[in-house]
Amino acid sequence: MNQVQKLLIIGFVWPEPNSSAAGGRMIQLILLFKAQGFSITFASPAQNSDFMVDLQEYEVEKKSIELNNSSFDVFIKELNPDVVLFDRFMMEEQFGWRVAENCPDALRLLDTEDLHCLRLSRQKAFKENRSFSIADLFVEEVAKREIASILRCDLSLMISEFEMELLESAFKIDKALLHYLPFLLEPIDDTEIKRIPSFEERKDFIFIGNFLHEPNWNAVQYLKDTIWPLIKKRLPETVLNVYGAYPSQKVLQLHNSKDGFLIMGRANDAQEVVKKACVVLVPLRFGAGIKGKLLEAMQCGTPSVTTTIGSESMHGDMPWNGFITDDIVNFVDTAVQLYQDKEIWGRAQQNGITIINQRYSKGLFETDFRTKIEFLRSNLQQHRLHNFMGAMLQYHTLKSTKYMSRWIEEKNK
């Protein structure tokens, strides 16, 4: 009888699928491994949060772990997982060397979420009022840490084709270390389409996004100061509902009912509020990865206006679920056009449904992923022999990070 395979996920935070796209992504990965028959333990050094998902509902064991504490060594030796998945590179930095030392035969996977170094380099360029260039990545400190983490792992899961190409061309990462696995969604069938509210049943504009994420906060400021006043002038009866988890005081202060700019805070059901809106506005000026809020708009049959950064790597060569523009005047014009023209709105909606079904339907990716994991598990030593840079970094990390961690642990006693 085959032994049940064990997966350990080391989470940066406890998953909150209703607060962020990252939380939704983690649940998708859990379900993907569940379908492969894995027994799953989710461990994290994070504090519990009010909106974290109940992992027991997914038959996942929850385990709190500590940073810089050898109690983790005891825990992982006892668990002896077949596969370890690091949720973002920071978790691989903290725990990767302990996994390598205590469970050397475990397959080590990294879920990048998005390329942090790309997002931060773009953010820095934006704040310094200059254009971003690939050269910015090479001076970004986070890039050195993130790329080292990718090299130390056996496989990194990428949600963006653009970021995969960037890693291969700019950083010369071997494509054998990367695997394209975007958001995994249920296809939208005719029954589902019939349930989507019609053009006539909708009103107003919406923005939705977690406020702990800097690109979202910047986009809301841009809407408030520049874009929304121009739309409001053209459509005085409309309002913009701004939803998002973890709004700070500076976010709440933007609320202005006279201007129709309404800070609504956290949405209990994000899809419900997006389905009621006529148009989603997402004027992102920096960021990385693929945008959960824009996929959610497509799932809800709600057209969107976004920027080239917002739509990056999301739609291939298919027409967008609305409009893509970096020009303020054009952004306003197309938002008003979508709001007023039922025919253009309907075409945009259909484009979004096509994108979901042809690019994000989970059935497109499940078999490939299963095959990849099985292949790596059967050929792990050979796979690692081809990754000398990773082995070298693993060696030096064990020497440096290990003793730094041991020193912090002694200091904490």
Side-chain angles (χ1 to χ4, degrees):
M1 187 173 153
N2 286 345
Q3 205 177 350
V4 174
Q5 296 188 94
K6 288 186 276 190
L7 167 70
L8 169 64
I9 302 173
I10 303 179
F12 180 62
V13 292
W14 302 107
E16 291 188 25
N18 293 327
S19 300
S20 71
R25 159 74 164 183
M26 183 49 72
I27 297 300
Q28 290 165 14
L29 290 176
I30 285 171
L31 293 173
L32 191 59
F33 278 102
K34 271 280 181 213
Q36 291 186 27
F38 277 85
S39 156
I40 304 176
T41 301
F42 192 105
S44 177
Q47 297 291 315
N48 285 351
S49 69
D50 293 339
F51 304 110
M52 61 194 260
V53 79
D54 181 1
L55 289 165
Q56 282 184 319
E57 285 181 19
Y58 297 91
E59 298 174 330
V60 171
E61 189 185 337
K62 177 178 180 282
K63 170 76 178 172
S64 288
I65 50 177
E66 286 184 54
L67 299 171
N68 303 306
N69 194 312
S70 48
S71 60
F72 179 84
D73 303 344
V74 178
F75 156 68
I76 195 167
K77 262 185 193 158
E78 203 172 291
L79 183 67
N80 193 24
D82 301 281
V83 180
V84 176
L85 173 67
F86 302 103
D87 167 29
R88 287 165 263 203
F89 80 91
M90 299 81 88
M91 291 297 94
E92 190 281 333
E93 272 186 335
Q94 286 287 345
F95 296 99
W97 67 271
R98 292 184 185 273
V99 172
E101 192 170 70
N102 292 292
C103 297
D105 296 330
L107 178 66
R108 297 189 295 271
L109 306 178
L110 172 64
D111 187 39
T112 53
E113 294 290 353
D114 60 19
L115 269 188
H116 293 62
C117 60
L118 177 62
R119 173 161 41 87
L120 293 171
S121 298
R122 283 173 167 169
Q123 184 173 322
K124 204 171 281 181
F126 173 79
K127 295 276 169 77
E128 292 169 6
N129 201 22
R130 58 181 176 78
S131 295
F132 163 79
S133 79
I134 298 299
D136 290 332
L137 291 169
F138 298 112
V139 293
E140 175 57 57
E141 185 189 327
V142 166
K144 297 173 181 70
R145 294 168 53 199
E146 191 167 24
I147 300 305
S149 183
I150 287 169
L151 284 166
R152 283 192 299 262
C153 287
D154 299 311
L155 192 69
S156 289
L157 309 181
M158 309 296 301
I159 59 171
S160 159
E161 291 156 314
F162 172 79
E163 291 175 12
M164 280 184 74
E165 287 161 16
L166 186 68
L167 288 173
E168 288 173 36
S169 60
F171 293 105
K172 311 299 180 215
I173 302 284
D174 184 345
K175 63 172 61 172
L177 298 177
L178 306 173
H179 186 79
Y180 178 58
L181 193 70
F183 287 109
L184 307 166
L185 306 176
E186 294 292 344
I188 302 171
D189 59 19
D190 290 345
T191 311
E192 191 59 37
I193 290 168
K194 287 192 181 96
R195 288 199 202 106
I196 294 173
S198 67
F199 178 77
E200 290 79 11
E201 291 173 282
R202 296 165 179 259
K203 65 172 197 161
D204 299 327
F205 293 85
I206 191 171
F207 173 89
I208 190 161
N210 188 320
F211 287 111
L212 297 179
H213 195 53
E214 182 68 23
N216 289 340
W217 164 233
N218 180 271
V220 169
Q221 289 172 292
Y222 189 30
L223 281 166
K224 169 75 174 170
D225 299 338
T226 309
I227 294 169
W228 181 247
L230 297 171
I231 295 175
K232 184 70 173 168
K233 204 171 181 179
R234 304 258 297 269
L235 300 168
E237 299 304 309
T238 62
V239 302
L240 172 60
N241 293 303
V242 178
Y243 285 91
Y246 303 107
S248 63
Q249 199 51 45
K250 64 182 181 181
V251 175
L252 297 171
Q253 282 171 352
L254 297 181
H255 183 89
N256 188 321
S257 47
K258 186 168 74 69
D259 296 340
F261 195 89
L262 310 180
I263 303 293
M264 308 299 286
R266 180 192 181 80
N268 290 328
D269 184 335
Q271 293 218 353
E272 189 186 326
V273 297
V274 176
K275 277 179 179 170
K276 287 177 180 172
C278 190
V279 180
V280 174
L281 302 177
V282 187
L284 291 175
R285 294 187 282 186
F286 51 86
I290 53 179
K291 317 302 178 296
K293 61 179 76 60
L294 287 167
L295 281 182
E296 189 164 61
M298 295 178 202
Q299 286 178 293
C300 295
T302 313
S304 62
V305 186
T306 190
T307 56
T308 46
I309 289 274
S311 65
E312 181 178 86
S313 223
M314 286 193 63
H315 60 116
D317 55 4
M318 288 183 255
W320 184 250
N321 171 50
F323 295 96
I324 300 163
T325 177
D326 296 320
D327 177 77
I328 293 167
V329 174
N330 198 28
F331 196 101
V332 171
D333 285 346
T334 51
V336 171
Q337 194 178 20
L338 271 175
Y339 197 84
Q340 292 181 320
D341 193 318
K342 180 181 175 178
E343 198 176 313
I344 291 172
W345 187 91
R347 279 202 303 271
Q349 181 189 71
Q350 187 53 55
N351 291 344
I353 291 166
T354 304
I355 291 168
I356 292 283
N357 288 347
Q358 292 188 18
R359 280 185 67 86
Y360 298 97
S361 178
K362 66 178 184 182
L364 299 171
F365 303 98
E366 286 172 318
T367 307
D368 267 2
F369 184 64
R370 181 195 290 265
T371 305
K372 185 80 171 182
I373 297 301
E374 286 171 357
F375 174 80
L376 287 176
R377 294 225 39 234
S378 306
N379 300 275
L380 191 54
Q381 297 317 313
Q382 194 62 27
H383 178 73
R384 286 177 179 170
L385 278 176
H386 289 292
N387 181 16
F388 178 75
M389 293 297 281
M392 181 176 70
L393 284 164
Q394 191 69 259
Y395 172 83
H396 286 290
T397 302
L398 266 170
K399 299 291 183 212
S400 57
T401 315
K402 174 180 177 176
Y403 293 108
M404 170 63 84
S405 185
R406 294 271 191 248
W407 178 76
I408 293 170
E409 186 174 2
E410 284 305 312
K411 192 165 155 282
N412 288 342
K413 279 180 181 173

